[in-house]
Amino acid sequence: MSELLSTLIERLSGPASQGRFSRLRRGIEKEGLRVDGGGHIAQTPHPEDFGSKLTHPHVTTDYSEALLEYITPVYSRPEDAVEFMADLHRFSYRRLNAELIWPASMPARLEGNDSVPIADYGASNVGRMKHVYRKGLDVRYGRIMQSIAGVHYNVSLPDDFWSLLKELEGDDTSSMQDYRSSRYFDLIRNFRRHSWLLLYLFGASPAVDRSFLPDGRVPEGLQPHAEQTLVAPYATSLRMSGLGYQNKVQEQLKICFNSLSNYVNTLRHAISTPWPDYAAMGVHLGGNDWQQLNDNILQIENEYYSDIRPKRVARHDETPSQALEARGVEYIEVRCLDLDPFDPLGFDATRSRFVDTFLMWCLLNESPWISDEECEHLDDNRRLVVSRGRDPELRLDHHGRKRSIAEWGHDIFAELREVATLLDRLEEGAPHAEALAELTPWLDEPGLTPSGRLLARLEERDEEFVEATLALAREQAAQLRAEPVESARAALFDQLVETSFQQQSEIEAGESQSFATFLADYFERARESRALTPLWAKGGQS
């Protein structure tokens, strides 16, 4: 254990026992395709009984009209977030009729690119912008890639924790905003160094239906299984591999999260720099026909793919990076988590407690800036784990030394146990330590991981990926339909259906700009810096 980590844990333990800082806070976003009874992606519109996907705070869509996205409020107890997510599923299943929620990250049976319907958010300018952005993703990358689902895990540390940590570290010169942002970037860099561990533990996509590859070409590393399934024997997460959210154009951005200013400036450059191939596709084809929002490297900042992002809730006149510039990092979003097909929600409180412990460990450890050379090694480690993470012969690069996942993982777990003990001082019992104890055997037994379990099921039963996942979906649907929704929450969900449609109608009725003018104004504002100017730079005004 590093001296810094040991010292900080020791110095935080007393205040934790005294309740001088609060628990971590998290919110969960979970995607899931709607499918029909035969395991095909649904062609039906987003159910009206769910409310407006433009304005509903908890039930919306991601890329596709068929790709549900559930969003919990922020909670200080993981169990509360998981229970809210469960009630969203129970609520949905009372309105889905014969359709099912696909429990895997890799999609159900597809019928080519056009079988993935693009989400439509109505006639308002903001709704049209969301739709045209998705059309742009189609022409740039295709729709099939956008049918992949996952879990996004949003975590923040409380203000009283940051105040205490700043005091313990003896930082009396930085503003709280700058200190917090800098330390969040420390966390992010260590996350990038070690996110391979999450990919190994929670990757759950070692197989895919052949319809995901409509051109019929089988990429290197995939093998046929049964008639319609392709598998990678040691893969953990094909979702995070070259088959999933990868983009050659974006690789040139080289974002390694060394500072907030570098991150923001790189994104701003990407949303204002044309790319020749995208320009050739066209943007505004005339009238109401828009091919994409613009021809730049990124249409908007959300197009940047990363396994983790610094975030802040943006105001109505801000882009995400402008919000970060103006008020600093508020929370981080972990984006590398597959859906666990064996769990009705794709995620559970044990995973939540582990990820919380892992993130705190990333924060409290030393975190030097990442060089270009190290950045390449980190990318190589991630690529190896997603494609061969359960291979007993696999070795990862650790400062020039080749190490197995089990060896390196046990070293990390030993330090995580100390962090878990610290976090458990805020709890009744020892839920973080228990989460680690539950997952520790997975380091030596890859078959216990979700990817290992899914592949074993396919092999032992000689099942197709779609048939196995469809059977799990039916079992989970029966379970969730039979469980009651908490009464107050059921009333809230019913009310939100009505109010979300009302809010969408008010937005549409209040439009005064043309869509072209709306977009031009948006991108003009997006190029502005919102960094705070020191008083001395304004001529000494007080």
Side-chain angles (χ1 to χ4, degrees):
M1 184 184 301
S2 73
E3 183 178 348
L4 175 64
L5 178 63
S6 176
T7 299
L8 285 178
I9 290 175
E10 182 180 356
R11 298 183 71 186
L12 286 167
S13 294
S17 299
Q18 298 162 12
R20 288 180 54 193
F21 62 89
S22 312
R23 298 184 179 103
L24 282 69
R25 293 167 59 79
R26 84 277 302 139
I28 303 172
E29 304 168 27
K30 183 254 184 177
E31 302 156 347
L33 278 176
R34 286 184 296 112
V35 301
D36 66 20
H40 295 82
I41 183 173
Q43 301 299 302
T44 52
H46 184 73
E48 284 204 8
D49 285 350
F50 286 12
S52 165
K53 53 187 173 289
L54 178 68
T55 55
H56 198 296
H58 304 301
V59 185
T60 181
T61 56
D62 195 85
Y63 174 82
S64 174
E65 192 76 2
L67 186 55
L68 292 168
E69 182 174 5
Y70 295 113
I71 305 167
T72 74
V74 176
Y75 286 104
S76 60
R77 294 182 67 255
E79 292 79 7
D80 293 336
V82 169
E83 186 58 24
F84 191 98
M85 183 67 72
D87 272 344
L88 286 173
H89 283 67
R90 295 165 186 143
F91 165 83
S92 299
Y93 265 121
R94 283 155 175 76
R95 291 158 175 77
L96 269 179
N97 299 320
E99 290 183 343
L100 300 165
I101 301 172
W102 193 247
S105 281
M106 299 308 283
R109 194 165 284 136
L110 307 172
E111 301 291 341
N113 193 67
D114 291 346
S115 70
V116 183
I118 299 176
D120 184 344
Y121 294 90
S124 68
N125 282 330
V126 66
R128 288 191 64 194
M129 183 176 178
K130 291 168 74 73
H131 180 71
V132 173
Y133 166 62
R134 285 157 174 76
K135 290 181 66 177
L137 297 179
D138 177 17
V139 297
R140 294 176 178 212
Y141 321 117
R143 302 185 192 183
I144 286 179
M145 185 179 82
Q146 316 297 329
S147 64
I148 297 171
V151 173
H152 295 171
Y153 190 72
N154 303 290
V155 180
S156 65
L157 289 106
D159 290 344
D160 52 11
F161 173 83
W162 288 121
S163 297
L164 177 62
L165 189 62
K166 189 172 185 291
E167 175 187 333
L168 292 178
E169 293 187 330
D171 187 331
D172 54 6
T173 58
S174 304
S175 69
M176 179 55 71
Q177 175 176 311
D178 289 345
Y179 173 79
R180 185 178 59 234
S181 293
S182 175
R183 296 297 274 116
Y184 268 128
F185 270 79
D186 291 343
L187 183 161
I188 290 170
R189 289 195 300 277
N190 273 337
F191 180 94
R192 297 198 71 250
R193 290 180 170 104
H194 304 97
S195 61
W196 60 264
L197 182 59
L198 299 186
L199 295 169
Y200 170 78
L201 292 172
F202 304 132
S205 50
V208 65
D209 188 70
R210 283 183 179 271
S211 64
F212 186 76
L213 303 166
D215 59 9
R217 290 183 296 177
V218 178
E220 183 180 357
L222 291 185
Q223 301 176 5
H225 170 79
E227 293 184 7
Q228 296 299 321
T229 300
L230 297 167
V231 301
Y234 295 113
T236 61
S237 179
L238 294 179
R239 166 180 171 262
M240 297 297 293
S241 74
L243 287 176
Y245 283 102
Q246 304 294 324
N247 182 280
K248 299 299 182 185
V249 176
Q250 291 186 27
E251 287 180 2
Q252 66 160 323
L253 298 177
K254 297 295 182 186
I255 296 178
C256 275
F257 301 95
N258 284 328
S259 69
L260 175 58
S261 61
N262 171 259
Y263 177 77
V264 167
N265 290 334
T266 305
L267 287 182
R268 184 166 290 132
H269 167 78
I271 65 170
S272 59
T273 302
W275 190 256
D277 290 346
Y278 299 157
M281 297 170 180
V283 177
H284 186 194
L285 306 184
N288 291 324
D289 190 5
W290 290 75
Q291 185 94 314
Q292 49 188 336
L293 294 176
N294 54 52
D295 57 13
N296 298 329
I297 295 172
L298 303 177
Q299 297 175 88
I300 57 176
E301 295 163 20
N302 287 348
E303 191 173 337
Y304 172 61
Y305 301 135
S306 175
D307 54 5
I308 189 169
R309 286 179 182 167
K311 298 291 289 285
R312 172 167 283 279
V313 175
R315 296 169 180 167
H316 76 281
D317 63 342
E318 292 177 324
T319 67
S321 66
Q322 287 173 330
L324 288 171
E325 265 188 324
R327 298 181 303 285
V329 182
E330 182 178 14
Y331 64 98
I332 55 99
E333 178 186 36
V334 175
R335 301 169 53 83
C336 63
L337 301 171
D338 283 1
L339 301 178
D340 181 351
F342 298 99
D343 189 288
L345 308 179
F347 192 79
D348 62 12
T350 295
R351 284 171 174 77
S352 180
R353 297 283 184 184
F354 180 87
V355 174
D356 290 348
T357 306
F358 179 79
L359 293 175
M360 181 66 85
W361 175 77
C362 289
L363 173 69
L364 298 181
N365 250 316
E366 295 179 70
S367 185
W369 280 24
I370 297 175
S371 66
D372 290 344
E373 181 181 10
E374 184 184 5
C375 202
E376 292 179 5
H377 288 312
L378 303 184
D379 291 340
D380 288 342
N381 281 346
R382 281 195 296 277
R383 280 191 287 266
L384 286 170
V385 173
V386 300
S387 62
R388 295 176 47 212
R390 287 179 289 102
D391 183 348
E393 302 301 317
L394 177 66
R395 297 296 182 268
L396 303 180
D397 181 270
H398 185 202
H399 301 308
R401 176 184 171 194
K402 298 300 182 182
R403 305 188 70 186
S404 70
I405 283 179
E407 179 194 8
W408 193 357
H410 278 298
D411 285 351
I412 293 173
F413 265 59
E415 296 188 0
L416 290 175
R417 291 187 190 97
E418 300 300 317
V419 178
T421 300
L422 170 66
L423 292 177
D424 282 339
R425 293 180 184 275
L426 305 170
E427 307 284 345
E428 294 182 8
H432 297 90
E434 290 166 3
L436 285 173
E438 184 174 331
L439 298 177
T440 298
W442 296 14
L443 294 173
D444 297 306
E445 300 179 54
L448 297 176
T449 64
S451 62
R453 292 178 62 200
L454 180 59
L455 195 60
R457 171 167 175 155
L458 299 183
E459 292 174 344
E460 291 167 4
R461 305 187 187 190
D462 196 28
E463 277 184 302
E464 300 279 10
F465 167 69
V466 167
E467 273 58 52
T469 309
L470 188 59
L472 291 169
R474 289 169 177 155
E475 294 169 9
Q476 293 165 10
Q479 173 187 334
L480 290 162
R481 284 189 172 113
E483 294 172 350
V485 181
E486 194 273 326
S487 57
R489 199 167 283 157
L492 169 66
F493 293 163
D494 287 338
Q495 181 62 43
L496 286 173
V497 172
E498 179 182 341
T499 56
S500 65
F501 280 124
Q502 181 180 345
Q503 289 168 350
Q504 178 175 341
S505 296
E506 291 170 354
I507 292 171
E508 292 173 349
E511 294 289 9
S512 58
Q513 287 180 307
S514 69
F515 182 59
T517 301
F518 171 83
L519 274 191
D521 288 350
Y522 176 88
F523 287 114
E524 182 177 358
R525 292 196 310 271
R527 289 188 287 270
E528 299 172 357
S529 173
R530 299 294 176 89
L532 295 177
T533 303
L535 290 179
W536 59 263
K538 298 180 179 180
Q541 296 174 2
S542 59

